[in-house]
DNA sequence: TAGATTGTTAATCGATTAACAATC
DNA sequence: TAGATTGTTAATCGATTAACAATC
């Protein structure tokens, strides 16, 4: 099993998962590597190789059972459990993520928002907004699986350090910096401006 | 010159650019491939190979001139001009992007927001919010370089079709669907839930 | 049984890394 | 001149693709 699954494969897993959910909703119960390949715009070979990394979930001559495959991939992705998340930074992005309903369905719940300024900002939906001073107290008394860093670039590292000392190891980072944390920490970055720059690159080089 | 630059290289360009800006701010005027490699966490060879794709901007025995290199990469990325953007969908993400100040510095300005519901929502900062019926009229009378799709999943494709018919060819898509548009269109996707799923994968497989 | 389609090995392709002559 | 460092070619590594025996 997963002794170093390549980055490329990992990035495709959520795509498989998404398409399998769609297939399941549309009532299909079986799917072939060829069909999945078409949906993801890759080759059937690659689909089979990808699943082979995890043992292979198909049946020769038949294909893959949609429900089974979806469950297997959900397990691989860790979607068979729930995650408590907090957001640091109640600015535009922080509040947008807080009120976005899409994550909860997949087991990711946002428990609290933190910001230096708490007065002029409303609590978003039913999620409480705490001042930064409350961070230590909150984390010590609540399970925090993932911290979402949605602060200004300047304070992101400092906030991550504080969280790291409190034992938080998993970060979804929206600040345009590379967080330097010790090796046991896991950081997944969303660098919006890089994405926008790639778009403008393509606009000028196609 | 750029006869098929690989995806991997393209994705690194914004990172080079970001670090070069930092170097410039910190007052450094020269930088070596080794130094840049260290900043990006790659090898010096790779840095030189990357720049070689575009002709090479260095000087043997010296290194790269920070200002020159930054300008060259800015040109490659198309950052030597401005872009007029509109946002379709004034929900959480749409409004967050509208009020985010970071893009304007790089020449990306948000000119208008569109949504089916315009009454109960305030105009964000100074950006006007129009009803969807105004879309055709607006696009026909204003330069729109990039459309940001921030609608619900369900309406994203339909909105993109409308824009495409109006001649808009460049899309920054935040809806969790793959937009199907003709080949001359350029779509750059930001799939937040895929990023979150990769995070949970790593949390469960490290 | 015949047809379909997997899992997996082998071949190919492309990206990364190493090496080094060129030269500032 | 000697040291540093590029641009670029060659070697290596890893990912994708092709092929096919196994088998449902």
């Amino acid at each position: 099993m997963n002794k170093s699954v390549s980055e490329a494969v990992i990035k495709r897993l959520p795509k498989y998962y998404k398409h399998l959910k769609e297939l399941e909703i549309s009532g299909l119960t079986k799917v072939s590597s060829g069909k999945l390949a078409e949906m993801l715009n890759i080759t059937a070979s690659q689909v089979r190789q990808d699943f082979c990394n995890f043992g292979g979930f198909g049946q020769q001559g038949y294909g893959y059972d949609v429900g089974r495959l979806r469950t297997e991939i959900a397990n691989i992705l860790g979607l068979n459990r729930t995650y408590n998340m907090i957001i640091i930074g109640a600015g535009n992005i922080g509040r947008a993520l807080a009120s976005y309903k899409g994550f909860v369905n997949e087991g990711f719940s946002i428990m609290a928002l933190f910001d230096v300024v708490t007065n002029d900002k409303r609590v978003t939906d039913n999620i409480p907004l705490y001042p930064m001073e409350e961070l230590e107290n909150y984390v010590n008394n609540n399970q925090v699986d993932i911290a979402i860093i949605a602060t200004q670039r300047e304070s992101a590292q400092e906030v991550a350090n504080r969280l790291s000392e409190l034992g938080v190891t998993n970060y979804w980072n929206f600040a345009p910096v590379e967080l330097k944390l010790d090796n046991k920490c896991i950081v997944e970055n969303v660098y919006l401006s890089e994405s926008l720059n790639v778009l403008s690159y393509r606009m000028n080089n196609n």
Side-chain angles (χ1 to χ4, degrees), chain A:
Chain A
M1 277 248 181
N2 53 277
K3 32 167 139 57
S4 95
V5 175
S6 86
E7 280 299 297
V9 175
I10 296 169
K11 292 236 182 72
R12 279 193 293 271
L13 291 174
K15 295 182 194 287
Y16 289 123
Y17 182 72
K18 189 179 76 173
H19 287 291
L20 287 163
K21 267 200 302 186
E22 284 167 13
L23 288 172
E24 209 169 36
I25 287 164
S26 76
L28 290 178
T29 56
K30 77 156 237 182
V31 68
S32 66
S33 57
K35 182 77 190 303
L36 278 170
E38 197 189 317
M39 296 176 92
L40 288 253
N41 248 298
I42 55 178
T43 64
S45 243
Q46 205 168 4
V47 172
R48 294 200 297 279
Q49 284 280 18
D50 284 357
F51 296 162
C52 206
N53 277 289
F54 304 98
F57 312 116
Q59 207 176 4
Q60 280 145 325
Y62 174 81
Y64 301 88
D65 178 86
V66 171
R68 157 101 195 284
L69 187 57
R70 210 217 77 190
T71 308
E72 295 280 7
I73 294 179
N75 289 342
I76 294 166
L77 287 172
L79 303 179
N80 49 353
R81 48 166 289 202
T82 58
Y83 297 88
N84 289 343
M85 312 199 287
I86 59 171
I87 301 178
I88 322 299
N92 304 314
I93 299 170
R95 279 175 295 160
L97 292 170
S99 36
Y100 182 64
K101 300 289 179 295
F103 301 134
V104 187
N105 306 329
E106 294 295 348
F108 298 91
S109 343
I110 292 157
M111 311 305 285
L113 275 156
F114 292 85
D115 204 310
V116 276
V117 183
T118 55
N119 41 345
D120 72 329
K121 283 170 187 158
R122 298 167 305 152
V123 171
T124 314
D125 295 74
N126 287 317
I127 300 163
L129 170 60
Y130 298 114
M132 283 302 288
E133 303 89 79
E134 284 293 318
L135 188 64
E136 278 72 14
N137 184 41
Y138 183 94
V139 178
N140 285 327
N141 290 287
N142 295 274
Q143 173 73 21
V144 174
D145 300 306
I146 297 170
I148 303 177
I149 308 292
T151 63
Q152 301 280 82
R153 166 218 288 272
E154 291 73 22
S155 29
Q157 180 65 59
E158 181 199 313
V159 162
N161 290 343
R162 267 172 82 178
L163 288 160
S164 176
E165 264 170 42
L166 293 163
V168 174
T169 55
N170 307 304
Y171 300 85
W172 200 21
N173 175 42
F174 285 77
V177 287
E178 206 202 329
L179 299 177
K180 292 187 174 47
L181 295 165
D182 62 293
N183 285 341
K184 69 172 192 298
C185 290
I186 297 168
V187 182
E188 186 66 23
N189 297 301
V190 177
Y191 290 147
L192 292 183
S193 77
E194 289 186 9
S195 169
L196 188 53
N197 288 350
V198 168
L199 175 59
S200 69
Y201 171 87
R202 293 193 213 282
M203 289 171 64
N204 291 278
N205 297 273
N206 261 16

